[in-house]
Amino acid sequence: MKKTVSLVLSLLIGFSVFFSPANTNTASAAVMPTAAEVAASITSVAVPPTDAPYLVLPSVPDGFRIRINSTSNANVIKLHGSIIPPAANTNVNLTFLVTRTTDTPVTTATTGSITVTVPAKTGAVWTSYEAESATITSNTVTQPVTIATCSATTPCSGTGNGQKLKNVGNSPDRYVTFENVTVPSAGAYFMQMAYGIGAGSRSFFISVNGGERPRYP
């Protein structure tokens, strides 16, 4: 018997607080790397698991963002990060664009070519739900939840149609609900979620069928 559930997703911006020693003679200020330095440090990408629906991008420091800049095989890994599992193990060459968002204007640098081996598909079925297709709850006039188109200035990864939602969370009245999520039977299922932030860290909450909302991470 099929099981239908509803997922409610909200996000909470996380803050990091840094303290400097009172004695400045014994401490040196941290220097933010350049976009070129961060790009040069990225030489590999985690191998995606079998039947993964999207690529996990390399991590970058606070104040930077990263996106795929080029792909040698868009039939396997698309520019926005989604994966179409191939019939056989396939090598895809990628480059990434690193943007230092704290500069005005922003500065960018491109990584060298990185080979990613995408495992052959096993026949497992993944069901994708796009955030812009969810039911939006946005009971606020200030920064309401809206649909945005991905671009070079507002990149996003893991989306299936080049769109994303903006301003989800950071308030209890800004969230989205995925209705009629159907699974073959009741049980535990693995879920992957792609979301992006300009800088800093962020947590999110997930509720199934109106239950508790645990915070991740």
Side-chain angles (χ1 to χ4, degrees):
M1 180 182 68
K2 290 187 176 181
K3 181 72 173 178
T4 300
V5 298
S6 296
L7 299 178
V8 177
L9 169 66
S10 61
L11 304 177
L12 175 67
I13 291 179
F15 296 91
S16 297
V17 180
F18 299 89
F19 295 94
S20 299
N23 185 356
T24 57
N25 293 326
T26 59
S28 58
V31 177
M32 178 179 286
T34 65
E37 289 171 336
V38 173
S41 70
I42 299 172
T43 58
S44 63
V45 178
V47 176
T50 301
D51 297 317
Y54 68 91
L55 183 72
V56 176
L57 302 185
S59 61
V60 291
D62 289 349
F64 293 83
R65 63 173 180 248
I66 186 170
R67 67 175 176 87
I68 297 176
N69 182 66
S70 67
T71 173
S72 64
N73 191 341
N75 292 323
V76 178
I77 300 180
K78 296 185 177 297
L79 283 175
H80 51 65
S82 64
I83 295 176
I84 302 174
N89 291 353
T90 302
N91 289 335
V92 181
N93 297 320
L94 303 174
T95 62
F96 297 88
L97 184 71
V98 175
T99 300
R100 185 165 132 161
T101 59
T102 56
D103 292 337
T104 305
V106 297
T107 56
T108 62
T110 305
T111 68
S113 181
I114 300 174
T115 301
V116 180
T117 301
V118 180
K121 61 182 177 182
T122 64
V125 178
W126 282 84
T127 302
S128 297
Y129 296 89
E130 297 293 337
E132 58 272 15
S133 299
T135 300
I136 297 174
T137 299
S138 185
N139 302 320
T140 178
V141 177
T142 304
Q143 292 187 323
V145 179
T146 56
I147 298 176
T149 300
C150 303
S151 65
T153 55
T154 58
C156 44
S157 173
T159 65
N161 58 6
Q163 292 182 315
K164 64 180 179 179
L165 290 184
K166 294 177 59 177
N167 303 323
V168 178
N170 200 34
S171 172
D173 61 356
R174 293 200 303 239
Y175 60 90
V176 296
T177 302
F178 295 87
E179 300 176 341
N180 299 319
V181 176
T182 302
V183 294
S185 60
Y189 289 86
F190 180 70
M191 185 179 73
Q192 290 181 321
M193 186 186 72
Y195 68 99
I197 54 175
S201 60
R202 199 162 195 186
S203 299
F204 55 92
F205 300 86
I206 296 177
S207 173
V208 179
N209 287 343
E212 296 183 3
R213 298 190 308 152
R215 176 175 174 170
Y216 303 92

